[in-house]
Amino acid sequence: MSSLLRKHRTTAIVGAAIIVGAGALPFAFNASTVASAAEPSGIIAPGGSFAPIVDADKPAVVTVTTTMKATDTSADTSNSPMDEQFRQFFENQGIPFPQQQAPQRHQSQSAMALGSGFIISPDGIIVTNNHVIENATDIKVTLDDGTELPAKLLGADAKSDLAVLKIHAPKPLATVAWGDSDRLKLGDQILAIGNPFGIGTTVTAGIVSARGRDLHSGPYDDFIQIDAPINHGNSGGPLVDREGNVVGINTAIYSPNGGSVGVGFAIPSDQAKAIVAKLEKNGSIDHGYLGVAIQPVTSDIANAVGLSQAGGALVAGVNDDTPAARAGIKTGDIVTAVNDETVKTPKDLSRLVADLSPGDKRSLTVWRDGKSMDVNVTIGGNDDGKQAANDSGDGKVQPSNQPSIGVGLANLTPDLREQLNLPHSVQGAVVASVNPDKSAAAAGIQAGDVIVSVNDQPVHSAHDVQSAVAEAGKAGRKSVLLLIERGGDKTFVAVPFSAA
C-alpha cells in the first residue's frame, strides 16, 4: 500500500524493501531496471492454459496515470507511512530493510505515477489502491485497447488502502466479477494482472503462499501472500482465481532490489468488496473509534489475571475524553468480545471497531478483577481519533508544524499507579504505546515508562508532556531530554524529534 506498506501513496518499496502495493510507479526508470525484473513463474494450469481466463479478464484491467502534487527536491517517496510499517514488520523478523532512494525532481515540477485498476461495472466504476491516487491532482485511465479517459475519484480510504474511480466511456465496458477470497487455500493457483513498470498489461501466475499476513499497516491487515511476480505499477490490479474472479487486489511486495522476488501481498476480495461498496456510495468511510492502546494477552498475563487461556486485547492505556473513557473502560481491562464477536487478538478488536460506524452502540465483554463483565460503549469516529492522537502526542495525527517523538501517553491514574506499583511521590505521564518507527523507540523508551520531566521541567499529565515537547520544538531544539521512571529507577533519555 504505498503508503507501502498503511498502507497509502504510490507504490513504495520497503526494503530489502517492501514496495507498497506493488505500488504506483513514478515515471523514472530505465531499460536495465525493466530487464532485471523477475520472470513469470511459468506455472501451467492442470489440463490446459490460462489463456481463457486472460482473454476474459484482461479487457477489464486498466492503467491508472496520476499527476501528483509537486514536492520538494529532497522528498523521498519511499519514506511513506506504509513503508515505515513494512519496515517494522520485516525488521521484527530479523530481515534487513535497506533504504531506497526516490528519484529527485525539481521543486516546480509535477510528479507522475502509474498504477493499475480493474472495472467492476459496465458504466465505468474502477477499483484501485488508495496509494495509487493519493495526493493526485489529475487522474487518467487507459483502457486495454489504448483509449485514454479522464477519471473522477468517487472515494478513497487510507486505512484499507482502497479507492474507487469513475470514467465515462462511449459504450459499456468489460468487467471482472468479485470472487470469494475466503475459499482460497494455500497452494491454490492465482493470476496477477497489471501494468508493471509501465510496459503494458502483463499477466503472471503463482500460488497462494500464505493467508492472514499482518504487516502492521492498519486495522484491516489480513493480506493474501502470493508468489506470482508483481512489480512497480501492479498496485491496484486484480488477483484472480482459476474461474477468473477477483479474489484480491495486488498491493505490496517485499523486495531487496526493487523487483519481484516472489513475495507479494494482496487485499482479500471479501474485505475489499464491502469497503468498495461504501466508497462508491458515500465517497469516504468514517471508521469506528474507541480510544485505547492495546496489546496481546500472553499466557503469563492470562495466568496473572486468572484467565483460563490467553486471548483478547489488553488495554494498556485509555485516552481522555474518548468513547472508551466515557464508557468506563479501564487500563488493565482485557476485551474478550464485541457483542457476540469473539476477540482473540488486538487485531480482532481493531478490525471490529473500525468496521463500526460512529454512534453505533455496542457491548464490550471485558475481564476485570478476576471476572467477566459487560460494558456498554457508544462508538466514536475519525474526528475523535484525530483529536485523541493530537492530545496524546503520539506523532500519528498531528498538525505538520508540531514536533513528534512517537509515543502515546496516558495520565497517571490511581489504577495505573497501582498497576505499575508506583509510590505517590512519583508524578508524570505514562507511556501507553511506542511507535517502533519513531525516535522514542530508538532511544529505548518503553510502554509503561513514566515521563517525570521534559527538559528539566516537571510534568503531571499527558497534556503537560505534549505542551513541553511542543515548546521545545518552537524554541528550535532538535531533541528533548526526558526523565524516565522505570522499575524504581530514574534515567535521563535524550529523544530527537521524529520526522513528521
Side-chain angles (χ1 to χ4, degrees):
M1 295 181 207
S2 253
S3 261
L4 173 170
L5 246 126
R6 219 180 147 274
K7 311 82 9 351
H8 308 177
R9 190 176 308 265
T10 59
T11 290
I13 283 185
V14 173
I18 284 187
I19 294 174
V20 149
L25 173 68
F27 276 148
F29 67 92
N30 53 47
S32 62
T33 301
V34 176
S36 66
E39 293 297 322
S41 59
I43 294 176
I44 302 299
S49 167
F50 285 129
I53 298 174
V54 177
D55 287 344
D57 288 358
K58 182 172 176 287
V61 179
V62 304
T63 297
V64 180
T65 307
T66 59
T67 302
M68 318 297 290
K69 293 178 181 178
T71 56
D72 191 274
T73 307
S74 62
D76 181 354
T77 58
S78 70
N79 245 356
S80 65
M82 220 160 215
D83 290 331
E84 294 301 320
Q85 286 153 349
F86 265 127
R87 181 187 304 278
Q88 169 193 346
F89 173 77
F90 281 93
E91 291 186 347
N92 285 346
Q93 315 301 316
I95 302 174
F97 193 86
Q99 178 72 33
Q100 179 175 357
Q101 295 300 317
Q104 299 294 307
R105 52 182 177 266
H106 191 273
Q107 189 171 8
S108 63
Q109 291 180 332
S110 295
M112 309 244 349
L114 283 177
S116 302
F118 55 96
I119 305 169
I120 60 171
S121 170
D123 62 350
I125 301 298
I126 295 171
V127 177
T128 187
N129 282 134
N130 175 70
H131 74 258
V132 170
I133 55 82
E134 190 174 38
N135 294 329
T137 57
D138 182 68
I139 305 173
K140 289 184 172 61
V141 165
T142 304
L143 303 181
D144 186 54
D145 65 4
T147 302
E148 185 179 276
L149 299 167
K152 175 184 178 182
L153 177 63
L154 293 186
D157 179 53
K159 287 189 176 181
S160 60
D161 196 22
L162 293 169
V164 179
L165 308 176
K166 179 71 167 68
I167 59 174
H168 293 283
K171 61 181 180 179
L173 299 169
T175 65
V176 286
W178 291 108
D180 185 357
S181 59
D182 279 352
R183 294 176 54 194
L184 287 179
K185 297 179 181 179
L186 302 191
D188 280 352
Q189 290 179 311
I190 43 78
L191 300 178
I193 310 177
N195 187 354
F197 301 116
I199 60 176
T201 304
T202 302
V203 182
T204 55
I207 63 170
V208 175
S209 304
R211 293 296 312 271
R213 289 300 196 203
D214 182 355
L215 301 176
H216 308 297
S217 65
Y220 292 104
D221 273 21
D222 185 22
F223 291 100
I224 303 166
Q225 182 181 328
I226 60 175
D227 71 345
I230 56 178
N231 291 282
H232 283 295
N234 272 111
S235 281
L239 182 74
V240 302
D241 60 17
R242 287 180 50 80
E243 284 70 49
N245 296 323
V246 177
V247 290
I249 298 163
N250 302 316
T251 298
I253 66 172
Y254 169 78
S255 176
N257 56 16
S260 173
V261 294
V263 183
F265 302 94
I267 301 169
S269 61
D270 288 349
Q271 170 185 309
K273 183 178 180 180
I275 295 173
V276 165
K278 291 180 181 179
L279 291 175
E280 184 180 350
K281 179 181 179 181
N282 302 320
S284 63
I285 298 177
D286 198 3
H287 294 281
Y289 173 75
L290 194 57
V292 292
I294 51 179
Q295 65 185 67
V297 178
T298 64
S299 297
D300 288 340
I301 291 174
N303 291 334
V305 300
L307 270 177
S308 59
Q309 60 183 9
L314 174 62
V315 177
V318 179
N319 290 326
D320 292 337
D321 195 25
T322 60
R326 291 189 286 270
I329 299 295
K330 297 182 179 181
T331 299
D333 285 349
I334 296 176
V335 181
T336 58
V338 177
N339 274 13
D340 296 328
E341 297 282 346
T342 300
V343 174
K344 296 181 179 179
T345 67
K347 178 60 66 177
D348 290 341
L349 179 59
S350 295
R351 186 174 299 138
L352 288 169
V353 171
D355 280 340
L356 297 173
S357 298
D360 286 350
K361 299 182 185 299
R362 292 293 186 271
S363 175
L364 303 186
T365 302
V366 302
W367 184 263
R368 180 189 298 171
D369 297 331
K371 60 184 179 182
S372 185
M373 60 182 295
D374 292 330
V375 177
N376 295 320
V377 60
T378 300
I379 301 299
N382 291 345
D383 290 340
D384 297 305
K386 292 177 182 178
Q387 184 59 47
N390 285 329
D391 290 344
S392 67
D394 65 357
K396 293 180 181 177
V397 184
Q398 298 190 80
S400 59
N401 63 345
Q402 293 295 313
S404 162
I405 59 175
V407 296
L409 302 169
N411 290 327
L412 188 52
T413 63
D415 287 342
L416 268 178
R417 185 182 296 279
E418 181 178 354
Q419 182 179 340
L420 297 172
N421 196 26
L422 293 172
H424 289 285
S425 59
V426 175
Q427 300 295 323
V430 179
V431 176
S433 62
V434 181
N435 187 327
D437 298 312
K438 295 293 185 178
S439 55
I445 302 298
Q446 303 174 11
D449 287 348
V450 178
I451 300 177
V452 176
S453 72
V454 178
N455 289 340
D456 292 328
Q457 297 299 313
V459 292
H460 298 88
S461 66
H463 183 268
D464 286 353
V465 174
Q466 184 193 16
S467 297
V469 170
E471 286 300 319
K474 291 178 182 178
R477 298 193 185 187
K478 296 182 179 181
S479 63
V480 289
L481 182 64
L482 307 181
L483 179 59
I484 300 298
E485 164 90 18
R486 181 190 300 165
D489 296 324
K490 288 186 173 68
T491 306
F492 280 105
V493 180
V495 182
F497 290 130
S498 298

